[in-house]
């Protein structure tokens, strides 16, 4: 119907004392100005379940069923020899009511990857391979610690059983490549991810094919320090990046950067060379109807 459905991690920021964990909430919008709040999509699990913290994932549709693949994070688990993070699955017929599939758990292959860094699954159908692919933010289990970040690959023909494979992309650049996202636009594939080690940014790489090579444009980011964890969605004509604008402690420009913040929507623009840029969607720009003169004021 032209609606965009946005699923996000709800951080209560201490407003619910004594309650541990993070759920997914759900809103929808048609114009990025007015939003419908659908409430909780995925509640957090109990303290002895994998998804005490419902962390980042992705939503896709296949044969009339909607699927969420998401990160279950429980910081207690390593103390009892269980991985802190695993990929979990939930399904829905209407995008509103979701059923978790507790028997379906995908953990990292310890022969290739670190078991406690295994998150942010992005699932899509690869018609060339004839199977579903899952990209996962992961770390290799060997090499310099600050350069083990990679995007792992798993494959499935039924969205239930997954084969973990060698990395989809392992550039040896930094410690982590969070929130991977992938889309095709014209002749180019774009791989989007976020980093908080060398630079705190949402970045992208581009390639003519999924097997690479993935090249970096001159400007490889959509925005600055405050825009993070962006995922994209489009309707075949336009594409948007949905990320959070980080808050700062004390609501002050001088306050420390905080993890998380408020939604920011950028429209992605593609140049003739294939490089991407970001701009304000006109739907948002149209609500600013009054000019305000910004004049310096002496103290």
């Amino acid at each position: 119907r032209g609606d965009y459905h946005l699923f996000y991690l709800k951080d209560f920021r201490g407003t619910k004392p004594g309650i541990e964990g993070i759920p997914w909430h759900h809103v929808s919008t048609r114009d990025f100005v007015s939003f419908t709040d659908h409430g909780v999509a995925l509640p957090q699990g109990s303290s002895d379940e994998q998804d005490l913290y419902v962390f980042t994932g992705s939503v896709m549709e296949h044969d009339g069923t909607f699927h969420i693949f998401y990160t279950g994070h429980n910081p207690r688990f390593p103390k009892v020899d269980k991985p802190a993070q695993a990929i979990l699955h939930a399904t829905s017929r209407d995008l509103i009511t979701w059923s978790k599939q507790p028997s379906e758990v995908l953990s990292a292959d310890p022969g290739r990857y670190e078991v406690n860094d295994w998150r942010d699954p992005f699932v899509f159908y690869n018609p060339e391979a004839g199977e579903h692919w899952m990209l996962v933010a992961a770390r290799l289990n060997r090499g310099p610690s600050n350069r083990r970040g990679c995007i792992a690959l798993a494959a499935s023909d039924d969205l239930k059983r997954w084969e973990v494979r060698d990395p989809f992309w392992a550039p040896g650049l930094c410690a982590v490549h969070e929130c991977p996202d992938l889309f095709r636009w014209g002749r180019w594939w774009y791989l989007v991810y976020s980093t908080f080690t060398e630079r705190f940014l949402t970045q992208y790489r581009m390639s003519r094919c999924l097997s690479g090579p993935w090249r970096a444009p001159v400007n490889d980011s959509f925005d600055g320090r405050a825009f993070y964890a962006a995922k994209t969605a489009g309707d075949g004509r336009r594409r948007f990046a949905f990320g959070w604008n980080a808050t700062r402690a004390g609501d002050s420009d001088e306050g420390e950067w905080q993890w998380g913040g408020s939604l920011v929507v950028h429209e992605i623009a593609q140049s003739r060379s294939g490089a991407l840029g970001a701009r304000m969607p006109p739907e948002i720009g149209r609500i600013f109807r009054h000019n305000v003169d910004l004049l310096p004021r002496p103290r």
Side-chain angles (χ1 to χ4, degrees), residues 125-133 156-157:
Y125 182 71
N126 181 348
E128 297 178 4
E131 56 192 5
H132 296 277
W133 279 15
S156 172
D157 58 9

Side-chain angles (χ1 to χ4, degrees), residues 275-294:
L276 302 179
R279 62 192 178 197
M280 179 189 295
E283 294 91 334
I284 297 176
R286 283 194 288 269
I287 70 172
F288 295 95
R289 300 190 179 103
H290 305 289
N291 293 326
V292 177
D293 294 328
L294 298 178

Side-chain angles (χ1 to χ4, degrees), residues 98-121:
W98 293 87
S99 299
K100 295 181 180 180
Q101 308 298 318
S103 64
E104 299 177 33
V105 179
L106 179 65
S107 299
D109 172 10
R112 296 181 176 95
Y113 304 106
E114 293 185 3
V115 297
N116 291 317
D117 280 280
W118 185 253
R119 60 185 179 273
D120 309 344

